[in-house]
Structures are given as structure tokens and as C-alpha cells.
Amino acid sequence: MHNLQMVDLKRQYLKIKTEIDAAVINVIESTAFINGPDVKHLADEMAAYLGVKHVIPCANGTDALQIALMALGLQPGDEVITPSFTYIATVEVVALLRLVPVFVDVDADTFTMNINSVKNAITPKTKAIIPVHLYGQCVNMEPLMALAKEHNIPLIEDNAQAIGGTYTFADGTIKKTGTMGTIGCTSFFPSKNLGGYGDGGAIFTNDDALAETLKMIANHGQKTKYYHEMVGCNSRLDTIQAAILRIKLRHLDEYCDARRAAADYYDNAFKNNPKIVTPFRAHYCTHVFHQYTLQLKNADRNKLQEQLAERKIPSMIYYPVPSHKQNMLKEYGTADLSLPVTDMLQDCVISLPIHTELTTEELAYITTNVLELIG
Ligand SMILES: *Cc1c(COP(=O)(O)O)cnc(C)c1O
């Protein structure tokens, strides 16, 4: 068996090597390392792909979230509603800006924020809500958008794991994930669905004024060089990354299809096992399977992981400690919050290899072994 990995970036690269190598060398030869033409082209091409007015590239997905919160003018002490069951970056930026994270539970089927919990968490101090499209599945945006509108609270979509996915509204309108909130954020971390060959991120919005502010914040608070209007940061996407991402963007839909095909294979193999709950696919969106995450019932997860590792099958727990229990946030005193679904999931989720290059032979090897070991 080929050396199995959670994500196989090497095989993906080899398929587009000629194009990628030429694009990288082109940037090096042009020496336009910072804000070269590829950065602007990527922004325009992504805006067209997503159907959103503005795409602002930045240094990474965490910065994207931070810049989004800064652009909304949030003040220390303002409350931001987020799920606890997410990658820490979503929450870290809230704490970094001295805002108050207000954690809500997720739904056990979709792994995404429970809309009723959001409703109950809203207070006069709530100044933003961050829905996270976890593992590649979109939050149920229509009721969330209605709720946010009713209370006049901006939504920041954390789209780091779901780029390329879509959401369908009740009237049939289809929108790309990351383009429905006031601001959308994504990450080009190499293992993400649209990954560069280093760090990168982007911010999306349809609001012209907000786009100006976001751009300014990402660029030392300046519109005109050396005239600084506000405190910002230095958050740029390298031209080399932009050149690579322009090529990979053209393959994104095909990459999403390949991930879905692998997920279909897994689903089919696991469907009759009472100890395995396969990922739920909500009718209102297309799942792009950033992760393929099972819930194990009455099975020893740690033992399974060890035994899989012995057979050279990698697996991961995303995430072993939910955000509200992280030491990072101990001053907020959130560790004892009651988030029963989050706590339950933390103990039973396991993610299997998923990427664009999995072969039927590899999928057969993984599923046969999982089924044999789980009994
Ligand atoms: C990866 C990720 C981020 C952060 O992106 P970086 O580019 O690594 O900074 C934020 N939120 C979620 C849900 C992520 O998966």
C-alpha cells in the first residue's frame, strides 16, 4: 500500500507540476514578490468564482478573521457568538482583541452551530456572530441570517474549511459559502480545500465601504502610502502563493468532486455498521468534505486509532479539546459551560484520510481495516 496520509499534497502537485513550476519561476524572475500582479488577478478570479464583489487576500485565515472583527469596529468587552467546536483560530482572534467569546453548542448531525442556541445567547452586547462551516459543511444560513438581521448583528463566516461549497435558500437561490455573511473569511493553509504552498488567506464582502476598511486594516491602516488612518496590521498574501492559487482555483470544483467521491465510498462501506455514524449531509448545502469525520458509538476510539496506525492508516481527532475548555481562555471562565453535544462529539469523533488523490484501492484498504478492527 502506498504511504497513506491524511492529505496527499505531493500526488496532487505532480498532476499540475508543469503549470505550477512555470508560475512560480515567473514570479521569481519578475521579482514582484510583494503585491505582484498575480495577487490582484487571484482576487478578481476568486470574486468571479464566488459571485462576491470584493476579495481581499491576506496572510492567513487567522488574520482574515482578526481583520474582519477589527473592520466591524468592535470594542473590548463586546460579545461575539461562536461555536466552541471549531479550530481554535476562530476564538483566538476574539480573545486577542479583548472581545468576549460567547460559546454555543453545535448540532450532533451537522457539527455546525445550533441556531436556537445562538438565539438564546444574543444579548444587547452581542456585536458579531461567527458561523463556522466545519469539516466542509455550510451552517444553515437562512434562519441564521434572519436572526442576525432581526437583531442587526453582523455575521462573519469562517469559511476556512468549506471553500467551493454552496448553500441553497428556500426560494432556490444558490450562493457560495463565505459570500452570505457581512464578511466571509478563508484560509489557504496547504491542507485546506484550496491550499497554497505556504500560508495565505482571504476576506470576502459585498459591502464597498467595508471592503475599503478591510483593505486598509490589512495594509497598516493606510490608503495612501505613509498616511495611516487607523491601527492595522501587515497582512499580505505572497505573490508566489497567489500565482499557485490561481492555478489551483481552476481545479477547485474538480477537487471538491474528488473529495465527495471519496466520502461516497466511505459512506457506502460504513452504512450498515451500528458502531459508526457517517457524516450527515444537509439538504440545504453541498458538502465539500474538508474532513471525513465519523462518530463512533460503543467503540474504543483510542484503541482503534492505535491499531489503524499499526496498519499505516493515519487518523485524526478534530478537535480533542473544545475551545471553551482551552487554557488559553481560562480568564473567561468558560470551562464549566454546559455544551453537551460539543462534549459528546469531542469523545467520539474520528477523521479518516480524505483528499483529492485517494484511489479505490486505498479506500478499500482503509474501510476494510476500519470495519475489521471495530468489529
Ligand atoms: C484553518 C482554519 C483557520 C485558520 O487559518 P490559518 O490560515 O491556519 O490561519 C480558521 N478557522 C478554521 C475553522 C480553520 O480550519
Side-chain angles (χ1 to χ4, degrees), residues 59-63 65 86-87 89-90 132 134 158 160-161 186-189 192 199-201 290 319:
N60 55 68
T62 309
D63 274 10
L65 289 161
T86 179
Y87 178 56
T90 318
V132 181
L134 201 72
D158 184 341
Q161 300 192 0
T186 202
S187 162
F188 302 128
F189 186 82
K192 298 286 158 84
D199 278 310
H290 175 61
Y319 297 90

PDB file of all heavy atoms in Angstrom, residues 59-63 65 86-87 89-90 132 134 158 160-161 186-189 192 199-201 290 319, ligand 1:
ATOM      1  N   ALA A  59      -2.632  37.395   4.778  1.00  0.00           N
ATOM      2  CA  ALA A  59      -1.515  36.487   5.074  1.00  0.00           C
ATOM      3  C   ALA A  59      -1.925  35.083   5.522  1.00  0.00           C
ATOM      4  O   ALA A  59      -1.181  34.125   5.333  1.00  0.00           O
ATOM      5  CB  ALA A  59      -0.602  37.112   6.123  1.00  0.00           C
ATOM      6  N   ASN A  60      -3.078  34.949   6.142  1.00  0.00           N
ATOM      7  CA  ASN A  60      -3.549  33.627   6.593  1.00  0.00           C
ATOM      8  C   ASN A  60      -5.004  33.746   7.039  1.00  0.00           C
ATOM      9  O   ASN A  60      -5.532  34.862   7.148  1.00  0.00           O
ATOM     10  CB  ASN A  60      -2.661  33.070   7.729  1.00  0.00           C
ATOM     11  CG  ASN A  60      -2.562  34.025   8.894  1.00  0.00           C
ATOM     12  OD1 ASN A  60      -3.548  34.257   9.592  1.00  0.00           O
ATOM     13  ND2 ASN A  60      -1.385  34.612   9.102  1.00  0.00           N
ATOM     14  N   GLY A  61      -5.614  32.618   7.327  1.00  0.00           N
ATOM     15  CA  GLY A  61      -7.026  32.613   7.692  1.00  0.00           C
ATOM     16  C   GLY A  61      -7.295  33.232   9.052  1.00  0.00           C
ATOM     17  O   GLY A  61      -8.364  33.815   9.288  1.00  0.00           O
ATOM     18  N   THR A  62      -6.338  33.109   9.955  1.00  0.00           N
ATOM     19  CA  THR A  62      -6.499  33.699  11.287  1.00  0.00           C
ATOM     20  C   THR A  62      -6.508  35.222  11.175  1.00  0.00           C
ATOM     21  O   THR A  62      -7.361  35.891  11.775  1.00  0.00           O
ATOM     22  CB  THR A  62      -5.354  33.233  12.224  1.00  0.00           C
ATOM     23  OG1 THR A  62      -5.259  31.806  12.152  1.00  0.00           O
ATOM     24  CG2 THR A  62      -5.599  33.652  13.647  1.00  0.00           C
ATOM     25  N   ASP A  63      -5.587  35.769  10.389  1.00  0.00           N
ATOM     26  CA  ASP A  63      -5.580  37.216  10.146  1.00  0.00           C
ATOM     27  C   ASP A  63      -6.897  37.655   9.520  1.00  0.00           C
ATOM     28  O   ASP A  63      -7.432  38.716   9.857  1.00  0.00           O
ATOM     29  CB  ASP A  63      -4.445  37.598   9.176  1.00  0.00           C
ATOM     30  CG  ASP A  63      -3.118  37.821   9.878  1.00  0.00           C
ATOM     31  OD1 ASP A  63      -3.014  37.502  11.082  1.00  0.00           O
ATOM     32  OD2 ASP A  63      -2.184  38.319   9.215  1.00  0.00           O
ATOM     33  N   LEU A  65      -9.850  36.538   9.918  1.00  0.00           N
ATOM     34  CA  LEU A  65     -10.869  36.657  10.962  1.00  0.00           C
ATOM     35  C   LEU A  65     -10.605  37.883  11.845  1.00  0.00           C
ATOM     36  O   LEU A  65     -11.529  38.616  12.214  1.00  0.00           O
ATOM     37  CB  LEU A  65     -10.882  35.387  11.827  1.00  0.00           C
ATOM     38  CG  LEU A  65     -11.428  34.126  11.149  1.00  0.00           C
ATOM     39  CD1 LEU A  65     -10.975  32.875  11.889  1.00  0.00           C
ATOM     40  CD2 LEU A  65     -12.956  34.184  11.071  1.00  0.00           C
ATOM     41  N   THR A  86     -14.680  24.045  17.146  1.00  0.00           N
ATOM     42  CA  THR A  86     -14.062  24.617  15.950  1.00  0.00           C
ATOM     43  C   THR A  86     -12.564  24.604  16.146  1.00  0.00           C
ATOM     44  O   THR A  86     -12.069  24.330  17.250  1.00  0.00           O
ATOM     45  CB  THR A  86     -14.547  26.059  15.703  1.00  0.00           C
ATOM     46  OG1 THR A  86     -13.901  26.604  14.536  1.00  0.00           O
ATOM     47  CG2 THR A  86     -14.241  26.988  16.877  1.00  0.00           C
ATOM     48  N   TYR A  87     -11.830  24.940  15.093  1.00  0.00           N
ATOM     49  CA  TYR A  87     -10.387  25.146  15.242  1.00  0.00           C
ATOM     50  C   TYR A  87     -10.189  26.421  16.069  1.00  0.00           C
ATOM     51  O   TYR A  87     -10.927  27.391  15.918  1.00  0.00           O
ATOM     52  CB  TYR A  87      -9.730  25.258  13.863  1.00  0.00           C
ATOM     53  CG  TYR A  87      -8.244  25.509  13.956  1.00  0.00           C
ATOM     54  CD1 TYR A  87      -7.428  24.638  14.665  1.00  0.00           C
ATOM     55  CD2 TYR A  87      -7.667  26.620  13.362  1.00  0.00           C
ATOM     56  CE1 TYR A  87      -6.070  24.877  14.782  1.00  0.00           C
ATOM     57  CE2 TYR A  87      -6.310  26.858  13.468  1.00  0.00           C
ATOM     58  CZ  TYR A  87      -5.516  25.989  14.183  1.00  0.00           C
ATOM     59  OH  TYR A  87      -4.176  26.230  14.295  1.00  0.00           O
ATOM     60  N   ALA A  89      -8.440  29.003  16.063  1.00  0.00           N
ATOM     61  CA  ALA A  89      -8.238  30.323  15.448  1.00  0.00           C
ATOM     62  C   ALA A  89      -9.499  31.183  15.495  1.00  0.00           C
ATOM     63  O   ALA A  89      -9.433  32.398  15.696  1.00  0.00           O
ATOM     64  CB  ALA A  89      -7.770  30.159  14.004  1.00  0.00           C
ATOM     65  N   THR A  90     -10.666  30.541  15.306  1.00  0.00           N
ATOM     66  CA  THR A  90     -11.933  31.278  15.297  1.00  0.00           C
ATOM     67  C   THR A  90     -12.096  32.074  16.582  1.00  0.00           C
ATOM     68  O   THR A  90     -12.592  33.200  16.582  1.00  0.00           O
ATOM     69  CB  THR A  90     -13.128  30.287  15.207  1.00  0.00           C
ATOM     70  OG1 THR A  90     -12.819  29.254  14.277  1.00  0.00           O
ATOM     71  CG2 THR A  90     -14.413  30.977  14.821  1.00  0.00           C
ATOM     72  N   VAL A 132     -19.233  28.791  11.727  1.00  0.00           N
ATOM     73  CA  VAL A 132     -18.081  28.063  11.176  1.00  0.00           C
ATOM     74  C   VAL A 132     -18.615  26.902  10.334  1.00  0.00           C
ATOM     75  O   VAL A 132     -19.345  26.044  10.839  1.00  0.00           O
ATOM     76  CB  VAL A 132     -17.182  27.507  12.309  1.00  0.00           C
ATOM     77  CG1 VAL A 132     -15.970  26.780  11.721  1.00  0.00           C
ATOM     78  CG2 VAL A 132     -16.738  28.623  13.250  1.00  0.00           C
ATOM     79  N   LEU A 134     -17.947  23.928   9.459  1.00  0.00           N
ATOM     80  CA  LEU A 134     -16.961  22.927   9.898  1.00  0.00           C
ATOM     81  C   LEU A 134     -16.912  21.680   9.011  1.00  0.00           C
ATOM     82  O   LEU A 134     -17.953  21.179   8.584  1.00  0.00           O
ATOM     83  CB  LEU A 134     -17.258  22.513  11.344  1.00  0.00           C
ATOM     84  CG  LEU A 134     -16.056  21.894  12.075  1.00  0.00           C
ATOM     85  CD1 LEU A 134     -15.013  22.945  12.407  1.00  0.00           C
ATOM     86  CD2 LEU A 134     -16.490  21.170  13.333  1.00  0.00           C
ATOM     87  N   ASP A 158     -16.780  31.874   8.965  1.00  0.00           N
ATOM     88  CA  ASP A 158     -15.462  31.234   8.958  1.00  0.00           C
ATOM     89  C   ASP A 158     -15.547  30.099   7.938  1.00  0.00           C
ATOM     90  O   ASP A 158     -16.046  29.009   8.219  1.00  0.00           O
ATOM     91  CB  ASP A 158     -15.099  30.697  10.347  1.00  0.00           C
ATOM     92  CG  ASP A 158     -13.692  30.113  10.376  1.00  0.00           C
ATOM     93  OD1 ASP A 158     -13.164  29.790   9.290  1.00  0.00           O
ATOM     94  OD2 ASP A 158     -13.129  29.943  11.475  1.00  0.00           O
ATOM     95  N   ALA A 160     -12.999  28.727   6.300  1.00  0.00           N
ATOM     96  CA  ALA A 160     -11.672  28.133   6.087  1.00  0.00           C
ATOM     97  C   ALA A 160     -11.764  26.677   5.632  1.00  0.00           C
ATOM     98  O   ALA A 160     -10.882  26.177   4.941  1.00  0.00           O
ATOM     99  CB  ALA A 160     -10.840  28.235   7.361  1.00  0.00           C
ATOM    100  N   GLN A 161     -12.846  25.982   6.018  1.00  0.00           N
ATOM    101  CA  GLN A 161     -12.931  24.551   5.698  1.00  0.00           C
ATOM    102  C   GLN A 161     -13.947  24.241   4.596  1.00  0.00           C
ATOM    103  O   GLN A 161     -14.156  23.073   4.288  1.00  0.00           O
ATOM    104  CB  GLN A 161     -13.290  23.760   6.973  1.00  0.00           C
ATOM    105  CG  GLN A 161     -12.238  23.934   8.074  1.00  0.00           C
ATOM    106  CD  GLN A 161     -12.392  22.956   9.227  1.00  0.00           C
ATOM    107  OE1 GLN A 161     -13.284  22.114   9.240  1.00  0.00           O
ATOM    108  NE2 GLN A 161     -11.506  23.070  10.210  1.00  0.00           N
ATOM    109  N   THR A 186     -11.467  33.072   4.615  1.00  0.00           N
ATOM    110  CA  THR A 186     -10.987  31.740   4.295  1.00  0.00           C
ATOM    111  C   THR A 186      -9.479  31.642   4.511  1.00  0.00           C
ATOM    112  O   THR A 186      -8.809  32.647   4.740  1.00  0.00           O
ATOM    113  CB  THR A 186     -11.368  31.302   2.869  1.00  0.00           C
ATOM    114  OG1 THR A 186     -11.344  29.872   2.808  1.00  0.00           O
ATOM    115  CG2 THR A 186     -10.393  31.830   1.817  1.00  0.00           C
ATOM    116  N   SER A 187      -8.988  30.411   4.478  1.00  0.00           N
ATOM    117  CA  SER A 187      -7.569  30.126   4.681  1.00  0.00           C
ATOM    118  C   SER A 187      -7.053  29.352   3.479  1.00  0.00           C
ATOM    119  O   SER A 187      -7.754  28.492   2.940  1.00  0.00           O
ATOM    120  CB  SER A 187      -7.416  29.262   5.936  1.00  0.00           C
ATOM    121  OG  SER A 187      -6.148  28.618   5.953  1.00  0.00           O
ATOM    122  N   PHE A 188      -5.822  29.680   3.068  1.00  0.00           N
ATOM    123  CA  PHE A 188      -5.164  28.901   2.019  1.00  0.00           C
ATOM    124  C   PHE A 188      -4.061  28.027   2.598  1.00  0.00           C
ATOM    125  O   PHE A 188      -3.090  27.681   1.901  1.00  0.00           O
ATOM    126  CB  PHE A 188      -4.577  29.838   0.948  1.00  0.00           C
ATOM    127  CG  PHE A 188      -5.579  30.744   0.281  1.00  0.00           C
ATOM    128  CD1 PHE A 188      -5.354  32.120   0.210  1.00  0.00           C
ATOM    129  CD2 PHE A 188      -6.742  30.242  -0.284  1.00  0.00           C
ATOM    130  CE1 PHE A 188      -6.257  32.972  -0.413  1.00  0.00           C
ATOM    131  CE2 PHE A 188      -7.667  31.080  -0.915  1.00  0.00           C
ATOM    132  CZ  PHE A 188      -7.418  32.450  -0.973  1.00  0.00           C
ATOM    133  N   PHE A 189      -4.162  27.685   3.878  1.00  0.00           N
ATOM    134  CA  PHE A 189      -3.213  26.741   4.501  1.00  0.00           C
ATOM    135  C   PHE A 189      -3.116  25.518   3.565  1.00  0.00           C
ATOM    136  O   PHE A 189      -4.130  25.098   2.993  1.00  0.00           O
ATOM    137  CB  PHE A 189      -3.767  26.354   5.882  1.00  0.00           C
ATOM    138  CG  PHE A 189      -2.837  25.504   6.705  1.00  0.00           C
ATOM    139  CD1 PHE A 189      -1.810  26.084   7.431  1.00  0.00           C
ATOM    140  CD2 PHE A 189      -2.996  24.123   6.751  1.00  0.00           C
ATOM    141  CE1 PHE A 189      -0.946  25.292   8.188  1.00  0.00           C
ATOM    142  CE2 PHE A 189      -2.146  23.335   7.502  1.00  0.00           C
ATOM    143  CZ  PHE A 189      -1.110  23.924   8.223  1.00  0.00           C
ATOM    144  N   LYS A 192      -5.869  22.884   3.320  1.00  0.00           N
ATOM    145  CA  LYS A 192      -7.269  23.284   3.113  1.00  0.00           C
ATOM    146  C   LYS A 192      -7.711  22.936   1.689  1.00  0.00           C
ATOM    147  O   LYS A 192      -6.876  22.627   0.835  1.00  0.00           O
ATOM    148  CB  LYS A 192      -7.434  24.787   3.383  1.00  0.00           C
ATOM    149  CG  LYS A 192      -7.099  25.200   4.823  1.00  0.00           C
ATOM    150  CD  LYS A 192      -8.160  24.787   5.830  1.00  0.00           C
ATOM    151  CE  LYS A 192      -7.645  24.710   7.244  1.00  0.00           C
ATOM    152  NZ  LYS A 192      -7.612  25.943   8.007  1.00  0.00           N
ATOM    153  N   ASP A 199       1.506  29.739   3.877  1.00  0.00           N
ATOM    154  CA  ASP A 199       0.333  30.379   4.477  1.00  0.00           C
ATOM    155  C   ASP A 199      -0.345  31.337   3.514  1.00  0.00           C
ATOM    156  O   ASP A 199       0.290  31.899   2.618  1.00  0.00           O
ATOM    157  CB  ASP A 199       0.756  31.144   5.739  1.00  0.00           C
ATOM    158  CG  ASP A 199       0.864  30.227   6.954  1.00  0.00           C
ATOM    159  OD1 ASP A 199      -0.103  29.477   7.205  1.00  0.00           O
ATOM    160  OD2 ASP A 199       1.906  30.256   7.635  1.00  0.00           O
ATOM    161  N   GLY A 200      -1.624  31.540   3.732  1.00  0.00           N
ATOM    162  CA  GLY A 200      -2.384  32.502   2.945  1.00  0.00           C
ATOM    163  C   GLY A 200      -3.818  32.535   3.424  1.00  0.00           C
ATOM    164  O   GLY A 200      -4.276  31.633   4.134  1.00  0.00           O
ATOM    165  N   GLY A 201      -4.525  33.602   3.069  1.00  0.00           N
ATOM    166  CA  GLY A 201      -5.938  33.719   3.443  1.00  0.00           C
ATOM    167  C   GLY A 201      -6.610  34.783   2.607  1.00  0.00           C
ATOM    168  O   GLY A 201      -5.956  35.455   1.800  1.00  0.00           O
ATOM    169  N   HIS A 290     -13.913  18.815   3.708  1.00  0.00           N
ATOM    170  CA  HIS A 290     -12.557  19.143   4.159  1.00  0.00           C
ATOM    171  C   HIS A 290     -12.064  18.021   5.068  1.00  0.00           C
ATOM    172  O   HIS A 290     -10.902  17.631   5.025  1.00  0.00           O
ATOM    173  CB  HIS A 290     -12.534  20.481   4.882  1.00  0.00           C
ATOM    174  CG  HIS A 290     -11.201  20.790   5.468  1.00  0.00           C
ATOM    175  ND1 HIS A 290     -10.071  20.907   4.687  1.00  0.00           N
ATOM    176  CD2 HIS A 290     -10.800  20.957   6.744  1.00  0.00           C
ATOM    177  CE1 HIS A 290      -9.030  21.156   5.476  1.00  0.00           C
ATOM    178  NE2 HIS A 290      -9.444  21.175   6.724  1.00  0.00           N
ATOM    179  N   TYR A 319     -11.766  18.069  17.212  1.00  0.00           N
ATOM    180  CA  TYR A 319     -10.589  18.530  17.931  1.00  0.00           C
ATOM    181  C   TYR A 319     -10.656  17.925  19.314  1.00  0.00           C
ATOM    182  O   TYR A 319     -11.753  17.837  19.865  1.00  0.00           O
ATOM    183  CB  TYR A 319     -10.613  20.059  17.998  1.00  0.00           C
ATOM    184  CG  TYR A 319     -10.523  20.634  16.573  1.00  0.00           C
ATOM    185  CD1 TYR A 319     -11.671  20.891  15.844  1.00  0.00           C
ATOM    186  CD2 TYR A 319      -9.282  20.846  15.966  1.00  0.00           C
ATOM    187  CE1 TYR A 319     -11.591  21.380  14.542  1.00  0.00           C
ATOM    188  CE2 TYR A 319      -9.205  21.341  14.665  1.00  0.00           C
ATOM    189  CZ  TYR A 319     -10.369  21.599  13.957  1.00  0.00           C
ATOM    190  OH  TYR A 319     -10.295  22.048  12.667  1.00  0.00           O
TER     191      TYR A 319
HETATM  192  C1  LIG B   1      -7.502  26.647   9.246  1.00  0.00           C
HETATM  193  C2  LIG B   1      -8.574  27.350   9.960  1.00  0.00           C
HETATM  194  C3  LIG B   1      -8.449  28.692  10.369  1.00  0.00           C
HETATM  195  C4  LIG B   1      -7.153  29.458  10.323  1.00  0.00           C
HETATM  196  O1  LIG B   1      -6.500  29.508   9.122  1.00  0.00           O
HETATM  197  P1  LIG B   1      -4.904  29.715   9.075  1.00  0.00           P
HETATM  198  O2  LIG B   1      -4.667  30.030   7.634  1.00  0.00           O
HETATM  199  O3  LIG B   1      -4.264  28.464   9.535  1.00  0.00           O
HETATM  200  O4  LIG B   1      -4.575  30.883   9.943  1.00  0.00           O
HETATM  201  C5  LIG B   1      -9.535  29.300  10.959  1.00  0.00           C
HETATM  202  N1  LIG B   1     -10.694  28.638  11.156  1.00  0.00           N
HETATM  203  C6  LIG B   1     -10.851  27.356  10.793  1.00  0.00           C
HETATM  204  C7  LIG B   1     -12.164  26.682  11.037  1.00  0.00           C
HETATM  205  C8  LIG B   1      -9.796  26.665  10.200  1.00  0.00           C
HETATM  206  O5  LIG B   1      -9.964  25.377   9.863  1.00  0.00           O
END
